[in-house]
């Protein structure tokens, strides 16, 4: 293998470069990214970086000097426009082209756009990259009232930061509870009460019909006819995988670029990793798309290994985390399709877990300030054995004793 070209210079791509280096990959690596930054971590963007407690330098996976290597060509600020599979070549928006022997698509995802009148007013933000946070911080410093559309992880993390900066915060959510896509009603209710105690106003079962303002936003018009006075808006209503480039090249995609358990697409010389993939997971017994650092990192390691001639499959219990105020939520597994939820511990102590079972087997854990439950829960999920719910619920029995 001589030339590996990576499209996208985000988290997965950065890990791929590191893994190829660790595995002593002998060929040349070209990393093409449309952002003006070397690969960086996004999780702090809606947490400590937004709060101003972390510098931009601390976001980078590796310092710029790491890329100073004759076997590595980082091409930043450059968008890939075409994959020519016959010529085994990609072309960028500045008219350049790069040949590949193997290509890795690591294009990630982009925020889903809210298409309502007034959506292009100043002061309306999405959050995906460093530049977005810089704009949000500038907006927030001049704002008293911050409105957040969408009560998923990003919306709620931004709400927590905005409260810590003493802003008046309203969160508008279309569904009847927060984080409805990923956690149980019990955990949603807990997070709603925490945010209320911190002074956040949450409006569930509410949609936006328009944004009001001349050039800059000054109101959010709700479907009940009310208008929220606001100085700025952050929209976090989900993401869309960046699959268009792959689809235009004729690769199979369906809610993500379809890859096998080796991270290979329908073209054997093209891999895909991270948020943009629809992939099989034998631990879960199904295919899915994941939006998490763990997935991007593990798929990158798998692809790197296969690019180095090994035969490595991706099979992982997924995990994720979210920081809101002084609460660390750690999620292992995928709770979708559970038929029983067990509460372990006492919610009023702010250290507890929700354990999700299907057919008597543990499929997911949501641990709030309970890292041990999270770590041991991952092992239990991987064990795929029937567990007595009464024993799971007893915080005096360590989960590891049930493994
Ligand atoms: P990305 O890191 O998004 O990288 C993709 C890169 O490809 C981008 O730089 C993009 O601009 C570039 N690109 C796209 N198309 C092209 C093209 N045609 N040409 C060139 N470049 C292109 N995950 C967690 O596990 N825990 C968290 O707490 C958490 N918090 C998050 C907070 C925020 C605010 C955000 C935005 C994400 C968070 N995530 C979190 C998700 C996590 O960051 C992503 O799952 C991860 O970054 C995915 O990595 P990736 O390499 O697939 O995509």
């Amino acid at each position: 293998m001589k030339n590996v070209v990576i499209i996208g210079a985000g988290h997965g791509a950065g890990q791929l470069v590191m893994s190829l280096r660790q595995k002593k990959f002998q060929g040349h690596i070209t990393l093409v990214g449309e952002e003006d930054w070397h690969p960086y971590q996004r999780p702090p963007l809606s947490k400590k970086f937004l709060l101003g407690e972390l510098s931009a330098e601390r976001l980078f996976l590796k310092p710029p000097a790491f890329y100073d290597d004759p076997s590595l060509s980082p091409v930043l600020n450059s968008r890939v426009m075409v994959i020519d599979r016959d010529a085994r070549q990609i072309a960028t928006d500045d008219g350049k082209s790069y040949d590949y022997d193997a290509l890795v698509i690591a294009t990630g995802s982009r925020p889903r756009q809210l298409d309502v009148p007034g959506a292009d007013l100043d002061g309306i933000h999405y959050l995906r990259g460093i530049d977005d946070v810089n704009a949000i911080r500038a907006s927030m410093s001049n704002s008293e009232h911050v409105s957040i559309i969408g009560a998923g992880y990003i919306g709620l993390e931004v709400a927590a930061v905005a409260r810590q900066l003493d802003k008046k915060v309203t969160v508008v959510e279309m569904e009847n509870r927060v984080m409805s896509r990923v956690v149980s009603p019990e955990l949603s209710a807990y997070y709603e009460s925490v945010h209320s105690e911190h002074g956040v106003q949450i409006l569930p079962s509410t949609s936006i019909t328009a944004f009001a303002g001349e050039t800059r936003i000054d109101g959010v018009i709700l479907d009940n006819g009310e208008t929220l006075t606001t100085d700025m808006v952050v929209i976090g209503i989900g993401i869309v995988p960046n699959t268009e480039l792959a689809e235009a090249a004729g690769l199979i995609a369906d809610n993500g670029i379809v890859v096998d358990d080796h991270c290979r697409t329908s073209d054997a010389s093209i891999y895909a990793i991270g948020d943009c993939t629809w992939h099989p997971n034998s631990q879960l017994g199904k295919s899915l798309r994941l939006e998490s650092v763990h997935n991007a990192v593990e798929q990158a390691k798998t692809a790197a290994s296969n690019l180095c001639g090994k035969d490595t499959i991706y099979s992982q219990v997924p995990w994720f985390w979210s920081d809101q105020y002084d609460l660390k939520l750690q999620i292992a597994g995928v709770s979708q399709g559970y038929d029983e939820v067990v509460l372990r511990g006492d919610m009023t102590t702010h250290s507890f877990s929700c354990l999700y079972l299907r057919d008597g087997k543990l499929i997911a854990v949501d641990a709030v300030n309970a890292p041990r439950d999270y770590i041991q829960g991952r092992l239990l999920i991987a064990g795929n054995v029937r567990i007595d719910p009464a024993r799971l619920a007893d915080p005096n029995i360590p989960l590891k004793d049930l493994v």
Side-chain angles (χ1 to χ4, degrees):
M1 182 79 57
K2 278 191 269 174
N3 280 321
V4 170
V5 173
I6 308 169
I7 306 178
H11 208 130
Q15 178 64 49
L16 181 66
V17 173
M18 293 191 288
S19 297
L20 285 171
R21 280 264 190 93
Q22 276 158 9
K23 291 174 193 303
K24 311 264 184 271
F25 174 69
Q26 294 300 314
H28 189 88
I29 307 166
T30 306
L31 177 68
V32 189
E34 66 184 346
E35 290 185 84
D36 208 4
W37 308 97
H38 288 97
Y40 62 91
Q41 318 166 54
R42 295 180 199 277
L45 296 182
S46 48
K47 308 175 180 80
K48 287 194 166 165
F49 185 62
L50 180 60
L51 195 52
E53 286 187 353
L54 197 77
S55 65
E57 290 70 42
R58 299 278 304 278
L59 297 175
F60 294 107
L61 294 179
K62 286 285 178 189
F66 170 84
Y67 303 90
D68 212 358
D69 181 312
S71 66
L72 184 55
S73 305
V75 183
L76 301 180
N77 215 350
S78 191
R79 183 172 172 77
V80 177
M81 306 303 285
V82 177
I83 301 170
D84 182 340
R85 287 167 56 197
D86 293 331
R88 291 205 177 191
Q89 194 178 64
I90 59 156
T92 54
D93 56 356
D94 48 6
K96 298 203 172 112
S97 57
Y98 302 87
D99 295 335
Y100 65 81
D101 298 307
L103 181 68
V104 183
I105 304 175
T107 46
S109 51
R110 59 183 182 274
R112 187 183 300 286
Q113 304 287 304
L114 186 58
D115 185 18
V116 295
D120 54 356
L121 287 168
D122 289 345
I124 298 177
H125 301 270
Y126 291 88
L127 205 179
R128 185 72 200 171
I130 293 178
D131 299 335
D132 298 329
V133 183
N134 289 338
I136 291 172
R137 280 166 65 175
S139 224
M140 231 185 240
S141 66
N142 296 317
S143 296
E144 190 188 344
H145 198 144
V146 178
S147 298
I148 293 161
I149 317 299
Y153 295 122
I154 289 183
L156 293 184
E157 287 180 354
V158 173
V161 169
R163 278 306 297 142
Q164 282 162 275
L165 297 172
D166 218 19
K167 308 296 171 188
K168 291 182 182 149
V169 181
T170 305
V171 179
V172 184
E173 168 57 53
M174 195 172 76
E175 300 295 333
N176 62 3
R177 60 186 178 91
V178 304
M179 298 192 285
S180 62
R181 203 167 56 89
V182 278
V183 304
S184 59
E186 291 82 352
L187 201 59
S188 295
Y190 169 78
Y191 270 91
E192 282 160 15
S193 73
V194 168
H195 279 277
S196 298
E197 279 162 21
H198 281 86
V200 174
Q201 183 189 27
I202 296 180
L203 303 178
S205 307
T206 306
S207 295
I208 310 299
T209 55
F211 293 118
E214 286 291 318
T215 53
R216 188 176 173 90
I217 180 148
D218 57 30
V220 179
I221 304 173
L222 308 176
D223 59 354
N224 59 14
E226 283 177 28
T227 299
L228 290 177
T229 302
T230 200
D231 301 309
M232 66 175 288
V233 164
V234 179
I235 302 175
I237 55 168
I239 61 166
V240 180
N242 290 325
T243 58
E244 291 80 359
L245 197 56
E247 285 177 81
L251 299 175
I252 297 173
D254 179 14
N255 184 24
I257 303 166
V258 174
V259 293
D260 64 14
D261 57 7
H262 287 68
C263 299
R264 238 177 243 129
T265 67
S266 47
D267 177 332
S269 60
I270 305 181
Y271 294 76
I273 59 172
D275 281 13
C276 65
T277 66
W278 178 260
H279 59 270
N281 186 321
S282 61
Q283 294 275 344
L284 308 175
K286 63 176 183 181
S287 289
L288 74 173
R289 189 169 59 75
L290 289 170
E291 304 157 9
S292 74
V293 163
H294 171 244
N295 176 58
V297 164
E298 291 302 327
Q299 285 196 316
K301 289 180 182 171
T302 303
S305 185
N306 291 321
L307 284 165
C308 291
K310 301 269 185 322
D311 181 13
T312 304
I313 64 161
Y314 170 90
S315 175
Q316 297 276 329
V317 173
W319 61 265
F320 188 86
W321 75 95
S322 175
D323 299 336
Q324 297 168 39
Y325 310 105
D326 51 359
L327 301 176
K328 180 168 276 300
L329 169 63
Q330 292 171 294
I331 297 181
V334 175
S335 60
Q336 226 174 36
Y338 71 90
D339 53 31
E340 186 175 358
V341 59
V342 173
L343 176 65
R344 179 177 164 88
D346 178 356
M347 284 188 175
T348 62
T349 64
H350 302 294
S351 169
F352 63 93
S353 310
C354 291
L355 304 159
Y356 301 89
L357 297 147
R358 188 173 55 225
D359 300 331
K361 292 177 181 172
L362 188 67
I363 57 166
V365 176
D366 294 343
V368 177
N369 290 345
R372 200 167 296 154
D373 282 0
Y374 156 72
I375 290 166
Q376 297 176 0
R378 280 178 72 182
L379 297 174
L380 268 185
I381 296 167
N384 194 31
V385 288
R386 284 182 181 279
I387 306 165
D388 176 5
R391 298 190 75 205
L392 275 181
D394 183 349
N396 296 316
I397 305 176
L399 289 181
K400 70 174 164 37
D401 290 0
L402 306 176
V403 174

